[in-house]
Amino acid sequence: MRKKTYLAVFLSICILGYGYHVIPEYKIKSSISFDSPSGRDTVLNVIVYKNHYSEGLPAEIEKFYLDMNGCPTALQMNLYLDGWKKPYRVERFEY
């Protein structure tokens, strides 16, 4: 009986660990661009699932966005935790 309990606990830990491993680090929820006479301003809303307070995460998201969409005049990045209504961090990049 004890072996079955240990096996069940071990399998539960493995399943939870795998579930955490496969979720993405972040997901770009929406991207809004505004054209003005001074250039193009962009607002990114990003849900962060892992490494919430990593100093390099905004730069990583910025690089990914610029590689895919080109360089706007200004980029504002709103970082949200999953399920939150307000961003926990706002980053702004001027080019």
Side-chain angles (χ1 to χ4, degrees):
M1 186 68 176
R2 251 193 152 141
K3 288 183 180 180
K4 289 182 181 180
T5 303
Y6 289 137
L7 181 62
V9 169
F10 177 72
L11 288 175
S12 298
I13 290 171
C14 289
I15 290 170
L16 290 173
Y18 178 74
Y20 181 77
H21 177 71
V22 297
I23 62 172
E25 190 168 351
Y26 62 87
K27 178 181 177 185
I28 298 177
K29 186 69 174 169
S30 65
S31 169
I32 304 166
S33 291
F34 304 98
D35 287 327
S36 66
S38 63
R40 180 173 57 119
D41 293 343
T42 302
V43 177
L44 281 181
N45 293 317
V46 181
I47 299 174
V48 180
Y49 296 106
K50 295 180 184 177
N51 298 327
H52 304 109
Y53 300 104
S54 170
E55 291 298 319
L57 185 63
E60 179 182 330
I61 297 170
E62 174 195 20
K63 182 180 179 327
F64 175 76
Y65 180 80
L66 295 178
D67 289 345
M68 296 296 288
N69 298 305
C71 189
T73 307
L75 175 64
Q76 178 177 325
M77 191 180 310
N78 300 323
L79 301 175
Y80 294 87
L81 295 175
D82 190 25
W84 284 30
K85 302 285 185 208
K86 294 184 179 182
Y88 73 92
R89 185 173 178 181
V90 176
E91 294 284 331
R92 186 156 176 86
F93 302 94
E94 300 285 338
Y95 304 102

